[in-house]
Amino acid sequence: MESTGGVAVVTGAGSGIGAAVAVALLEDGWRVALAGRRAAALEETAGKAGAGDRALVVPADVTSPESVEALFAAVRRRWGRLDLLFNNAGRFGAAAPVEEFSLDEWRSVVDTNLTGAFLCAREAFRLMREQEPRGGRIINNGSLSAHTPRPHAVAYTATKHAVTGLTKQLSLEGRRYGIACGQIDIGNAATEMTSGFGGGALQADGSVRAEPVMDVRHVADAVRYMAGLPLDANAQFLTVMATAMPSFVGRG
């Protein structure tokens, strides 16, 4: 892909999918603000691409409105605009049956996966609608759990279903400003979150089975495709998954 020179924000950029996407965008010539809670991890991600001053490390907590505002203010000061937000920060939460899932854990997952995505999208809208040329793109990290639940994942499943609603709302309201919004639903990318799947994961029938995973670079390539579209085209929903993973296509 040709160098774009555009400006992107990637949340959860210190590890996993966020880190892979941030590095891929930097390699493609984007200027990227890497956001996350751990400054050292963000610096490590930035260093992988060797992008110099095209990488901006901004420690941020997406659950905090003040922290999110400071993140986008830093982008505005540095580059004066925003062309892409990859709304990626999220957490799975405790693995527990519904009746044992604590309210504190529920609120923590909702605050990160849903409220955090909203707060970042709100600040992106404010910047994208005012800049010249106006507009930009938001890509939300949905998950296959936006369609099909896993056992013992009530908060993660609920928030990822809600992210789909957020994506549709942003797409609707973004039209007048030239803001496109799409969602990538990912199944079993090889990251810290899926590191235990090879040893066995609980299935819907109560069995425990090893699950295949795919290289996270395939996710980064999919985001590259979505990000590289002109603003008059949009990949509204894109699914990329390990081919043989269970419990999504078919009965499980």
Side-chain angles (χ1 to χ4, degrees):
M1 186 177 294
E2 294 183 357
S3 173
T4 69
V7 175
V9 169
V10 176
T11 65
S15 63
I17 290 167
V21 168
V23 170
L25 292 174
L26 287 166
E27 289 175 346
D28 286 345
W30 289 79
R31 292 166 284 172
V32 181
L34 296 86
R37 295 191 184 197
R38 297 173 297 148
L42 298 174
E43 293 285 0
E44 182 179 352
T45 300
K48 290 177 182 177
D53 62 4
R54 286 193 295 105
L56 174 64
V57 169
V58 187
D61 177 359
V62 299
T63 70
S64 163
E66 296 78 15
S67 185
V68 172
E69 290 169 9
L71 163 63
F72 285 84
V75 172
R76 187 193 293 266
R77 285 194 303 271
R78 179 70 167 267
W79 292 307
R81 65 174 294 107
L82 176 65
D83 300 290
L84 173 69
L85 165 63
F86 182 42
N87 231 344
N88 167 74
R91 59 185 300 266
F92 189 81
V98 172
E99 68 274 19
E100 297 176 14
F101 204 88
S102 75
L103 181 58
D104 285 346
E105 187 70 1
W106 170 272
R107 285 174 171 159
S108 177
V109 175
V110 170
D111 284 351
T112 302
N113 296 4
L114 182 57
T115 304
F118 159 71
L119 292 172
C120 290
R122 185 177 66 173
E123 291 306 309
F125 256 63
R126 289 171 174 171
L127 210 169
M128 289 174 176
R129 73 181 183 183
E130 297 169 1
Q131 64 194 15
E132 290 295 336
R134 191 165 70 171
R137 186 179 305 276
I138 297 171
I139 301 173
N140 291 328
N141 186 343
S143 170
L144 293 193
S145 290
H147 306 269
T148 304
R150 283 187 174 277
H152 298 176
V154 62
Y156 189 76
T157 299
T159 55
K160 291 304 184 179
H161 275 67
V163 166
T164 298
L166 177 64
T167 297
K168 292 178 179 179
Q169 192 70 35
L170 297 176
S171 292
L172 176 63
E173 296 196 29
R175 291 174 186 171
R176 64 185 297 186
Y177 304 121
I179 300 172
C181 183
Q183 180 170 312
I184 184 166
D185 294 323
I186 302 158
N188 285 14
T191 66
E192 294 88 338
M193 184 180 287
T194 62
S195 60
F197 284 8
L202 181 64
Q203 304 298 309
D205 63 0
S207 64
V208 175
R209 292 176 53 191
E211 293 192 12
V213 296
M214 63 177 176
D215 195 306
V216 72
R217 67 185 173 87
H218 302 310
V219 179
D221 287 343
V223 173
R224 280 168 140 160
Y225 162 71
M226 297 173 78
L229 291 170
L231 287 180
D232 61 356
N234 187 37
Q236 186 67 65
F237 294 97
L238 187 155
T239 299
V240 57
M241 57 183 276
T243 303
M245 68 175 292
S247 301
F248 182 64
V249 177
R251 297 171 184 254

